[in-house]
């Protein structure tokens, strides 16, 4: 029986998978490169089937209590004057909740509890599969044996590279780069996102109603840039080069703060598209398998639902090959739908001044006040309910 399962990555997908594997009586181990949980990050949405999974885990009430509580977007000009706004209503209505990524990971980690072994400050260096299992070598120098390995280590997945090949085969650049960091908590409007644009660029402030810490956001249009995704100093230079000539609004202040923030994060807007999410005894889950980009607003949803399905199939299928096939058959339609990105990026980062004018004019229309609710109503629901997999609901 495939009981000993190594999960690479302690994020949303990894923690959800670990929880459900342990609930099904399997023996998960989570290895995470960072020395502890990654507490930073942007707001993520828990919605649709992800809400159902969280309810089954017994943590949905706590997710709602920790909701970011952001009520809308204000677009400003160079002097800080509001030129348009989108009011989203009270987020979390209809079962949908926006929560900061770090808060969600902490809740998932706490739910996983003592039934999951966590190894922080280490990562997978190499793996060798055979008919009976996988021998894994770690950067720390140790070697361990597992029945299966699951990569939950994000769009730059090292395990995916080892088991499936170089990222150029699977990662698609979506024409933009983004960054976020901590910002002066005195800046911006409470419970709102404030955005300033010049053609092809956006700088913004995010003020959660439930958090004292503000966040700065940056997006800019660009073709692929050559840099190491782990070289933070190179990433700071790229962001500086993109925004250092922008002196209007609070761009310089936000840029200086972001470049000095130890929690600074920078990445490309990219999607991961793969013909298969498994290779032998290695499988992928979350962004490692199917990153839809942060612009989709669906990363947390796909990670939670996919991890739930993968754990359930591993617990109930006769063998891991059958489990991997059923997991993919049950989850791929949702992934393909969420990877169809709507107008989010074009609204946030118009290409030219005409696009900025059109966006602002559209946002000023009275109908925009109800757009968030309408979007939720029109969003297609999954055709079939989530399987139960025989797991009892947490209490």
């Amino acid at each position: 029986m495939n009981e000993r399962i190594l999960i690479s990555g302690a994020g949303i997908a990894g923690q959800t998978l670990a929880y459900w594997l342990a609930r099904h009586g399997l023996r998960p181990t989570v290895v995470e490169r960072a020395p502890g949980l990654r507490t930073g990050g942007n707001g993520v949405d828990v919605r649709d089937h992800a809400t159902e999974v969280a309810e089954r885990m017994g943590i949905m009430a706590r997710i709602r209590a920790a909701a970011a509580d952001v009520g809308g977007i204000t677009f400003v000009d160079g002097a800080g004057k509001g030129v348009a706004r989108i009011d989203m209503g009270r987020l979390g209505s209809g079962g949908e909740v926006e929560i900061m990524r770090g808060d969600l990971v902490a809740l998932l980690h706490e739910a996983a509890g003592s039934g999951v072994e966590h190894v922080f400050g280490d990562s997978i260096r190499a793996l060798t599969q055979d008919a009976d299992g996988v021998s894994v070598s770690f950067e720390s120098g140790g070697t361990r044996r597992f029945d299966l390995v699951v990569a939950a280590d994000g769009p730059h997945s090292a395990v995916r590279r080892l088991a499936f090949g170089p990222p150029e085969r699977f990662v698609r650049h979506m024409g933009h780069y983004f960054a976020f960091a901590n910002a002066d908590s005195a800046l911006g409007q409470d419970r709102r996102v404030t955005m300033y644009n010049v053609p092809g660029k956006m700088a913004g402030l995010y003020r959660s109603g439930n958090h004292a810490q503000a966040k700065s956001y940056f997006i800019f249009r660009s073709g692929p840039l050559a840099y190491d995704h782990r070289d933070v100093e190179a990433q700071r230079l790229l962001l500086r080069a993109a925004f250092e000539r922008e002196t209007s609004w609070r761009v310089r202040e936000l840029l200086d703060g972001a470049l000095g923030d130890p929690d600074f994060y920078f990445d490309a807007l990219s999607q991961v598209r793969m013909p298969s999410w498994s290779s032998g005894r290695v499988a992928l889950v979350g962004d490692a398998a199917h990153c839809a980009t942060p612009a989709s607003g669906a990363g947390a949803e796909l990670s939670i639902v996919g991890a739930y399905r993968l754990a359930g199939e591993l617990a109930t299928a006769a063998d891991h090959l059958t489990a991997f096939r059923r997991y993919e058959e049950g989850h791929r339609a949702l992934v393909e739908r969420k990877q169809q990105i709507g107008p989010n990026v074009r609204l946030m980062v118009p290409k030219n001044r005409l696009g900025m004018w059109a966006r602002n004019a559209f946002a000023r229309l009275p109908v925009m006040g109800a757009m968030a609710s309408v979007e939720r109503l029109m969003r297609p629901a999954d055709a079939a309910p989530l399987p139960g997999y025989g797991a009892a609901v947490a209490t």
Side-chain angles (χ1 to χ4, degrees):
M1 183 177 179
N2 296 311
E3 293 185 349
R4 300 168 301 169
I5 301 174
L6 176 64
I7 303 166
S8 175
I12 295 171
Q15 297 289 354
T16 305
L17 179 62
Y19 170 91
W20 284 107
L21 289 174
R23 290 281 292 180
H24 289 302
L26 303 177
R27 296 160 51 194
T29 295
V30 178
V31 61
E32 166 59 49
R33 178 183 298 275
L37 291 179
R38 298 179 189 267
T39 58
N42 57 324
V44 298
D45 294 329
V46 179
R47 62 191 184 194
D48 299 335
H49 274 345
T51 302
E52 186 177 349
V53 174
E55 293 282 10
R56 295 182 186 186
M57 296 174 71
I59 63 172
M60 195 60 216
R62 298 181 65 190
I63 290 175
R64 291 192 180 98
D69 190 25
V70 173
I73 301 171
T74 300
F75 300 100
V76 298
D77 62 17
K81 179 183 176 181
V83 295
R85 60 188 285 143
I86 300 175
D87 294 319
M88 300 177 182
R90 185 171 181 177
L91 296 182
S93 61
E96 179 177 333
V97 178
E98 183 183 26
I99 180 174
M100 303 308 290
R101 179 194 176 279
D103 292 345
L104 179 58
V105 169
L107 289 174
L108 292 167
H109 176 73
E110 184 177 343
S114 59
V116 177
E117 177 191 8
H118 283 84
V119 179
F120 289 101
D122 206 351
S123 60
I124 296 173
R125 180 175 58 82
L127 50 84
T128 304
Q129 301 188 54
D130 56 46
D132 299 318
V134 187
S135 295
V136 179
S137 300
F138 295 92
E139 294 291 350
S140 61
T143 301
R144 292 177 63 177
R145 183 82 171 164
F146 297 91
D147 298 314
L148 303 171
V149 174
V150 180
D153 48 350
H156 300 288
S157 173
V159 175
R160 187 186 63 220
R161 177 177 51 79
L162 291 172
F164 294 82
E168 294 78 18
R169 295 173 53 187
F170 314 114
V171 180
R172 299 185 181 184
H173 181 65
M174 303 298 288
H176 295 74
Y177 287 85
F178 71 98
F180 55 83
N182 292 321
D184 186 341
S185 58
L187 301 177
Q189 294 176 267
D190 188 39
R191 298 185 61 246
R192 295 196 72 80
V193 178
T194 306
M195 291 186 179
Y196 168 72
N197 289 100
V198 295
K201 300 177 186 179
M202 184 277 287
L205 270 165
Y206 181 106
R207 281 283 303 276
S208 165
N210 282 339
H211 299 79
Q213 180 66 63
K215 299 282 184 178
S216 60
Y217 284 80
F218 303 86
I219 303 177
F220 63 95
R221 291 175 177 261
S222 173
L225 300 172
Y227 68 99
D228 184 340
H229 74 273
R230 293 202 182 102
D231 187 344
V232 177
E233 291 309 310
Q235 296 165 17
R236 294 182 200 272
L237 290 175
L238 291 173
L239 185 68
R240 180 186 293 278
F243 284 90
E244 64 182 349
R245 295 184 181 179
E246 307 301 334
T247 58
S248 296
W249 189 52
R250 295 184 177 274
V251 176
R252 181 60 58 83
E253 185 178 4
L254 294 177
L255 180 62
D256 289 344
L259 295 177
D261 180 20
D263 292 330
F264 170 86
Y265 183 87
F266 179 95
D267 206 348
L269 283 181
S270 59
Q271 288 190 341
V272 175
R273 297 190 175 226
M274 304 192 65
S276 175
W277 300 333
S278 63
S279 176
R281 290 180 170 271
V282 179
L284 309 174
V285 70
D287 283 351
H290 45 63
C291 178
T293 84
S296 72
E301 175 189 2
L302 293 177
S303 292
I304 291 171
V305 175
Y308 171 82
R309 283 188 175 275
L310 177 55
E313 298 299 348
L314 286 171
T316 57
D319 56 75
H320 67 279
L321 296 177
T322 302
F324 291 163
R325 174 177 56 80
R326 290 179 179 173
Y327 150 63
E328 187 164 338
E329 289 174 349
H331 192 48
R332 187 171 282 277
L334 177 63
V335 168
E336 290 178 348
R337 188 162 71 243
K338 299 297 184 179
Q339 286 188 330
Q340 303 304 311
I341 304 300
N344 296 14
V345 177
R346 293 193 298 275
L347 287 171
M348 290 189 294
V349 195
K351 188 175 182 179
N352 50 44
R353 294 196 179 278
L354 178 60
M356 291 167 55
W357 177 87
R359 187 272 314 279
N360 294 343
F362 183 59
R364 286 192 291 267
L365 294 175
V367 71
M368 287 302 295
M371 282 298 287
S373 297
V374 170
E375 189 273 336
R376 281 193 291 268
L377 290 172
M378 295 183 65
R379 184 187 302 144
D382 288 346
L386 281 177
Y389 299 116
V393 176
T395 58

